[in-house]
Amino acid sequence: MLIEKVFYIPLPKNIVWETESFRYRDNAFLSVNHEYLYERFFADFGPLHLGHIATFCKDLKAMASNSARVYILSCDDEHSKSNCAVLIGAYLVRNLS
């Protein structure tokens, strides 16, 4: 089942910001902060637009089907964690309902 092989890891900003999505052995690492950038209007932080949500769902599904585990990486600040939670929640609603 997909839910059992997807893990979320918040990391310090200097590590995640420079990390692109990659594969290591049979695991995939999806960097949310690097791949899905939110273009802010003023002092807001999200949520991401529907294009990012659709792309995230497609990427996560492809990575999960080809990997033993998928690790979703984001920065450990509150804005990045909340945007990542929205992406994961949208994936669950869109693909598992």
Side-chain angles (χ1 to χ4, degrees):
M1 182 170 203
L2 178 67
I3 296 174
E4 296 171 353
K5 61 192 275 185
V6 176
F7 302 92
Y8 170 64
I9 304 173
L11 296 170
K13 190 171 189 168
N14 60 340
I15 295 173
V16 175
W17 192 252
E18 299 171 0
T19 304
E20 296 184 30
S21 296
F22 64 96
R23 292 188 186 279
Y24 179 71
R25 296 189 180 173
D26 197 24
N27 300 311
F29 296 83
L30 179 60
S31 177
V32 173
N33 288 85
H34 189 78
E35 302 287 330
Y36 313 100
L37 297 175
Y38 176 72
E39 298 186 25
R40 54 180 47 202
F41 175 68
F42 181 60
D44 56 343
F45 62 89
L48 300 169
H49 60 74
L50 289 176
H52 283 138
I53 292 172
T55 305
F56 174 81
C57 291
K58 180 185 74 155
D59 293 345
L60 181 58
K61 189 173 186 177
M63 285 184 166
S65 66
N66 297 327
S67 304
R69 290 181 203 92
V70 178
Y71 296 94
I72 301 171
L73 309 175
S74 80
C75 294
D76 62 354
D77 65 280
E78 59 192 33
H79 296 164
S80 297
K81 289 193 288 188
S82 62
N83 277 335
C84 192
V86 167
L87 286 172
I88 294 169
Y91 177 83
L92 293 173
V93 168
R94 182 174 184 242
N95 293 319
L96 299 180
S97 60

